[in-house]
Amino acid sequence: MYRKAILATVAVALSVSASAETIAKNYKDSGYGNPISPCIFCADPTALVCDGRVYVYGSNDHQQFIKNGKKGNNGYGDIKSLVVFSSDDMMNWTFHGTIDVGKLCSSWGWRFAASWAPSVTWRETADGKREFFLYFANSGGSIGVLKASSPIGPWSSPLSKPMIDSDTPGVKPCNWIFDPGVVIDDNGTGWIGFGGGDPLSTGSKLMPGNSRMAKLKPSMTALDGNAVNLPAPYLFEASELNIMNGRYVYTYNTSWSDRDDWSSYEKRGGYQAPSACSMCYMVTDTPLDPDSWQYRGEYVPNEGNFGMGWGNNHTHLQKFGNKYYLFYHSTLLEQTMNTGASGFRSIGVDNCTVDESTQKIDKVTMTKTSVAPIRYLNPFNLQQAETMSTCGGVSYEDFSNITRPASISNLGNDASQNLQIKMAAGSWIMVRKANFGKQAGAAAFMLRAKGKGKMEIRFDDKSAAPVATIEFSSTAMEDHSVNLNAPSFKGVKNIYFVFTEANNVYFDAWQFLDESVNGIEDTSNDSYTVRKTVDLGGRSMTAAGQRGKIVVEQYTDGRGVRHARKRVASTQSR
């Protein structure tokens, strides 16, 4: 039900109802893009691209952080879930909640221990079905796999035990059977790299002997033949795989050992010895032939970025659009929070220059700035409250406790439909570079929330004077709306949603409404084609029947992705 809690034209010159001192602190600067989450510790990233969005998965360090009482060292043993984020602009990230791997793998019994360092891939079958496969390190002793029909689930465990363990042919001897890296090649064949740890008794500092490569069966849930030993110099952990120009690219993290035996490596190819705990890569045409792998040097030197010292890393190289990006982790968020906790990581992303024809990866430097946005955020689309660049005072509600369906998400998935965030007085979120367009502006605003509170919309600074205020009170999740002074809502803005008053407030979604369909083309770098206009009940509407009413436009963007958005139809004839 579209419920209008307040209907009023709001002037720009309203006074600020909460002083700067009452506004919650942020631990990610509003001008920075890293880390991607402003409040959740997460690490060991992997990623995939689907329907114009990049989905990022990682170890849920925050689970250990909470288990530790937000103090102490990260021991990793209580991490039994994975986090999921996504973005279509590389600037504002939607948190989709967590994948409860421990619950999904409960049938394993004692065999399940933890869930770290995921790797994810997907394919479309001949009959048009989508299959997503997520592999994870079950502590350091085995590797499990989950399966889903969408990038955010629901996930299930197709096996009643780990997919790879010490009894898997070709694995022994291997110190740590973990950190899977998976890819599907151009022929539709799946491959997995894994392994790590200190040198075996039969190995050396140069060649620890713990790296494995294997082919996957068509099911993607079992090995097709034995695993082979991949000769990766100074390998310690963090395997990942990519395909470039038909060739296989294997990336990994190096050990802390000295490099005094580098000169004995016959295939060093003129490259200098990699620095300790750096990211290196190798290339081949034939993954199961150990002699075919070519060492290509390091692409992420360990430079102590963000005060990481000589800690290890875990990266994923992801092509999105026409560009490559490198996802990694650092301790940037931990340092900013300064709680006294140690070893809690956060995921970041930076540009990476890759020559696909030669598989050359240029060296990457980790930054706070992160990457440039690839498009503007469209404020006329329904946006989830979990979509943000940064925030202050936000806590997440477990979406499993929310009655379905809580809302209808334009992302087309279950998790973000049923994930809401709890807001206290002074809490806020911010989205960057929302484009209201040059012509129509915004005529109204819809807030989906429950509880009793007051929210102010502010531009470009969390302490700025509000451009609109909405008060609401409801015991259930409802849509509350307010009219706006349309000329104030034009151009590209950083939007702050600041809750100056909040009593048991849960924030689910928001959306600006415009008066003119012409505003669509101005709100994004994409072009849009309107397919159909319907009322709130889904019935088609004529142009005359739309005037002055709330309508829903169903349209397809330039990437072929379908959307739906509400708007206020013009009261004027066209």
Side-chain angles (χ1 to χ4, degrees), residues 49 142 235 245 252 273 279 284 328 345 372 423 429 466 476 515 518:
V49 172
S142 62
L235 173 128
N245 196 28
Y252 65 95
M279 297 300 305
T284 190
Y328 56 87
R345 304 156 296 176
M423 310 298 288
I429 71 168
E515 288 187 327
N518 295 330

Side-chain angles (χ1 to χ4, degrees), residues 182-233:
V182 180
V183 73
I184 297 176
D185 67 20
D186 299 336
N187 298 317
T189 302
W191 300 88
I192 184 167
F194 59 94
D198 294 324
L200 299 169
S201 59
T202 55
S204 65
K205 290 181 297 183
L206 175 64
M207 290 296 169
N210 288 311
S211 180
R212 298 292 181 270
M213 182 66 57
K215 182 181 179 182
L216 292 169
K217 288 184 176 180
S219 66
M220 298 291 289
T221 60
L223 300 194
D224 187 358
N226 292 6
V228 301
N229 187 3
L230 193 161

Side-chain angles (χ1 to χ4, degrees), residues 167-178:
D167 293 327
T168 302
V171 171
K172 288 182 179 178
C174 182
N175 274 343
W176 296 341
I177 306 169
F178 78 160

